[in-house]
Amino acid sequence: MKKLTIHSVPVGVSFMWLMTACQTLNPIILKGPDFLKFYLILVLGFYASFFSLNSLRETISETTFYFTGFIFLLGIIKLVRGIMLGKPVGFLVMILILECIVAVFLIMSHVNKKTK
């Protein structure tokens, strides 16, 4: 329950920013710069919560993987929408690539801890 609460804080903060700055709760309809701000707040906040849990010697749980998957899925949906509309998506692609690299390290560390 503690992990769910800690991982929910960045999601709540990013959606509060979304509501105050853009007056919407649907991040898919946002234009490029606004979505990138929202997505960066979400991603950086989530990984800050992950590293804070990691520094407290907590194990990586399924909750962490679910949050990672949902955040990545949101980026992929926006990427597909941007490509279909013919918009530039270079920054989003770079963020998604970095997110994939971090996710691979998460999975590798989880597997290493499970085998020990």
Side-chain angles (χ1 to χ4, degrees):
M1 187 68 176
K2 177 171 67 170
K3 294 174 188 173
L4 180 64
T5 305
I6 290 175
H7 288 315
S8 297
V9 170
V11 174
V13 168
S14 61
F15 274 98
M16 284 189 331
W17 176 86
L18 187 65
M19 188 62 194
T20 57
C22 302
Q23 287 78 35
T24 185
L25 284 175
N26 187 359
I28 303 297
I29 63 171
L30 292 176
K31 301 273 185 202
D34 291 332
F35 178 78
L36 285 176
K37 287 177 192 173
F38 164 77
Y39 198 66
L40 281 174
I41 291 170
L42 182 63
V43 168
L44 294 177
F46 172 74
Y47 286 119
S49 71
F50 168 75
F51 288 120
S52 68
L53 278 176
N54 202 11
S55 69
L56 295 174
R57 305 275 189 235
E58 293 287 331
T59 60
I60 300 171
S61 66
E62 290 183 13
T63 306
T64 304
F65 289 118
Y66 289 139
F67 272 94
T68 304
F70 287 132
I71 291 171
F72 186 72
L73 184 65
L74 176 65
I76 292 295
I77 290 170
K78 188 62 177 178
L79 177 70
V80 169
R81 186 169 187 264
I83 289 172
M84 288 174 50
L85 293 175
K87 302 292 182 178
V89 291
F91 287 120
L92 184 58
V93 169
M94 288 188 294
I95 293 169
L96 288 172
I97 289 171
L98 288 174
E99 195 173 344
C100 283
I101 292 169
V102 171
V104 165
F105 284 122
L106 282 175
I107 292 170
M108 286 179 12
S109 70
H110 180 68
V111 169
N112 286 340
K113 286 182 182 178
K114 259 192 164 177
T115 57
K116 286 181 181 179

